């Protein structure tokens, strides 16, 4: 289960196909997805809502900002 979670996180937060070495690290990061993950994490910790609320909100933000 942990391996599947790590695989999903790598696919969502990083552009691994752009990795060519240490100099290419900034091009590997998916800044919009990382920012969304941080905002969702903080929101989950601050407000205690049902998980589907965060899933739907993330989907709406992804659609609006074309992730």
């Amino acid at each position: 289960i942990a391996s599947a979670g790590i695989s999903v996180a790598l696919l969502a937060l990083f552009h691994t196909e752009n990795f060519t070495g240490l100099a290419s690290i900034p091009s590997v990061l998916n800044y919009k997805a990382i920012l969304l993950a941080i905002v969702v994490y903080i929101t989950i910790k601050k407000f205690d809502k049902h998980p589907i609320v965060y899933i739907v909100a993330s989907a709406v933000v992804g659609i609006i900002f074309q992730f």
Side-chain angles (χ1 to χ4, degrees):
I1 294 173
S3 175
I6 291 170
S7 297
V8 170
L10 284 175
L11 288 172
L13 301 176
F14 301 102
H15 300 292
T16 55
E17 67 276 359
N18 293 343
F19 185 73
T20 58
L22 291 178
S24 68
I25 288 178
S27 69
V28 174
L29 298 175
N30 186 354
Y31 294 107
K32 291 192 299 185
I34 292 171
L35 180 64
L36 178 62
I38 291 169
V39 169
V40 169
Y41 177 77
I42 291 170
T43 308
I44 287 172
K45 291 299 181 184
K46 189 170 184 174
F47 305 107
D48 190 26
K49 301 288 183 192
H50 195 275
I52 196 70
V53 172
Y54 301 109
I55 294 170
V56 170
S58 296
V60 170
V61 169
I63 292 169
I64 291 172
F65 292 108
Q66 299 177 359
F67 279 65

